[in-house]
Amino acid sequence: MFNVPLSCAGKYSVAAINPTATAISAVADLAVVNTSAATHMIARGQTATLTVSAQGNNLTYLWKKAGVPMSNGGRISGVTTSRLMINSLIPLDSAIYTCDVTAPGGVLTGGNQTLNVLVPPVMNSTLYPPTMMSDGSYSYTLGAANF
């Protein structure tokens, strides 16, 4: 099923009825996970909070970075919850993050989020000698990185 709202998560059964009998299926648990993509642009040194929206019974979570399961520790917390936190962001944190949500009926992947860690430009403090232009004005050259 596609585009199922979170509010539709729950227990369902099917009744098959004909003129001679009624048969009712076993109860099935339907879990729903939001698979919408999002992009986050957060400055180096800040904290990123990524969330996945899921509804259902007995859900477990596992966040992945570029398809590789993550683990809690250091700057990373919430790997097995619906809310992943990455503190003191560094450029290597830039990646696509997903969350595998396991329900009684199987695994659904949600939380497809791209994290871009922004690094401010760095100006080179060296001021090169001015160059005199033909019109009598001066031109200065500065170096910059990370832009």
Side-chain angles (χ1 to χ4, degrees):
M1 295 188 296
F2 298 100
N3 299 319
V4 177
L6 292 175
S7 61
C8 288
K11 296 180 181 296
Y12 290 88
S13 61
V14 175
I17 303 169
N18 70 24
T20 61
T22 298
I24 298 177
S25 71
V27 175
D29 242 335
L30 175 66
V32 181
V33 176
N34 185 343
T35 58
S36 299
T39 298
H40 306 276
M41 297 172 66
I42 303 174
R44 178 182 65 197
Q46 299 299 308
T47 297
T49 302
L50 308 179
T51 60
V52 62
S53 297
Q55 195 70 30
N57 296 309
N58 302 316
L59 302 179
T60 62
Y61 302 87
L62 179 61
W63 283 92
K64 295 180 177 181
K65 176 183 176 184
V68 178
M70 301 175 69
S71 58
N72 289 315
R75 302 175 303 107
I76 312 292
S77 63
V79 169
T80 57
T81 71
S82 63
R83 183 176 152 188
L84 176 69
M85 290 185 65
I86 307 170
N87 295 307
S88 303
L89 288 172
I90 60 173
L92 290 175
D93 293 324
S94 294
I96 296 175
Y97 293 81
T98 56
C99 185
D100 284 350
V101 180
T102 303
V107 178
L108 302 166
T109 299
N112 188 18
Q113 300 180 46
T114 300
L115 174 61
N116 293 311
V117 177
L118 304 175
V119 179
V122 177
M123 297 302 292
N124 183 338
S125 61
T126 304
L127 183 61
Y128 297 97
T131 303
M132 182 174 221
M133 307 302 283
S134 61
D135 64 359
S137 63
Y138 287 93
S139 169
Y140 291 93
T141 302
L142 295 173
N146 298 333
F147 61 96

